[in-house]
Amino acid sequence: MKRVPLSFPALLCLLIGSSALAEEQVRINPTDPQPTCIMCPGSYIPSAELERYTEKAIAEKLIDQQVRDIDIGKARVGIGMVHRGKLDKPAPNSVAEHDQISEVYHVISGAATLVLGPDILNRERRPATMRTVREFNGPGNNGSEVRDGIAYEIKAGDVVVIPAGTGHWFTRIDDHIDYLMIRIDPDKVTPLKGEAQSLEYLSKPAPRGE
C-alpha cells in the first residue's frame, strides 16, 4: 500500500482537532462555565511539615521560607512560613513592597506592630538576583518609611491582607512573630514547589546568601 505523506496544513489541522477533542473530553457540565483549572488536584500540607519550617527558621536563623508554590490555573498560590525575632526599632530601608504578588498573613504566635500603606518613601529596587525575588515574592522595592501609613498591632489569630504595591513595615516585635504566608501570584513569576521539593529542602541546611 502506498503511503501518502500529510502536508503541513493537514497535519496542523489533525493536531488541533486532537487537542480540541481532548479538551472536549474533560469539559465538565458543558453548558456551564468551565473551571479555570481543568482537572487540577488539590494540595494538602500537614501541620507537622509547617512546624518543621518554624523549627528550621529558629535553628538556622532564617526568616522567610517557601513551603509550596501551587498552580491553580489562572494564578499560582505560594504558601510560606515566616519567623521574625525581637525588634526594638525598624531596620534602615526595611519597608517592603511587591509589584505583582499580594500577600495574606495568618499570625500563629507572637505580636508585632505592622505599618501598611502604598506611599513609600525613598524606594530602592530589590536586585533581581535576590533569592526572595526569584523564588518567593517576585520583583519589588524597599523603602525608608510609609508616608501616612496605618499601624496595626497584630497578634496570634489575626489576618492581614497586603495587596501588590502596598508597603509593609515591621516597626516593633515584642519577642517574636510567626505567621503563615499565602502569596497570590497571578502572573506566575515564581517557580512551582511541590511536596517532594519541600521535604528535600527540610532534609539539609538551607542555602545561604541572596
Side-chain angles (χ1 to χ4, degrees):
M1 182 181 293
K2 185 177 180 181
R3 292 180 178 271
V4 179
L6 286 173
S7 66
F8 178 74
L11 181 60
L12 185 61
C13 288
L14 180 62
L15 291 173
I16 291 173
S18 300
S19 175
L21 179 61
E23 183 180 346
E24 186 65 31
Q25 287 174 342
V26 298
R27 284 175 68 86
I28 301 167
N29 298 328
T31 59
D32 297 337
Q34 298 303 297
T36 56
C37 200
I38 299 291
M39 302 300 287
C40 293
S43 297
Y44 165 71
I45 307 172
S47 61
E49 184 179 342
L50 297 175
E51 289 164 4
R52 286 179 65 188
Y53 274 87
T54 300
E55 292 166 2
K56 187 177 183 71
I58 295 169
E60 299 182 27
K61 294 181 170 54
L62 306 171
I63 296 176
D64 194 350
Q65 301 175 90
Q66 193 87 321
V67 179
R68 293 282 195 283
D69 209 311
I70 302 162
D71 195 329
I72 59 168
K74 287 190 174 182
R76 286 181 181 166
V77 171
I79 305 296
M81 290 293 286
V82 183
H83 171 81
R84 296 180 182 274
K86 181 178 174 61
L87 180 70
D88 294 320
K89 62 180 181 179
N93 212 40
S94 57
V95 178
E97 173 271 335
H98 314 303
D99 296 338
Q100 295 165 280
I101 292 180
S102 300
E103 298 180 330
V104 180
Y105 299 174
H106 178 225
V107 183
I108 297 170
S109 66
T113 303
L114 177 65
V115 177
L116 302 178
D119 193 356
I120 301 166
L121 302 182
N122 302 311
R123 286 175 183 258
E124 196 172 284
R125 200 69 178 158
R126 289 182 168 186
T129 54
M130 284 182 66
R131 185 163 178 258
T132 53
V133 170
R134 291 184 288 106
E135 298 182 16
F136 297 176
N137 44 41
N141 296 278
N142 283 100
S144 63
E145 191 177 344
V146 178
R147 181 160 45 202
D148 299 324
I150 300 175
Y152 296 93
E153 302 299 324
I154 62 174
K155 61 188 183 307
D158 290 348
V159 171
V160 181
V161 179
I162 305 173
T166 298
H168 39 294
W169 187 30
F170 282 97
T171 58
R172 180 186 55 81
I173 300 174
D174 293 340
D175 175 73
H176 77 283
I177 188 165
D178 292 330
Y179 51 96
L180 176 74
M181 169 84 78
I182 301 171
R183 293 185 167 107
I184 303 164
D185 178 8
D187 298 306
K188 301 186 178 183
V189 298
T190 56
L192 296 172
K193 182 178 182 181
E195 179 183 9
Q197 291 166 294
S198 172
L199 296 179
E200 181 183 4
Y201 167 85
L202 288 169
S203 70
K204 55 191 177 184
R208 311 304 296 191
E210 294 186 349

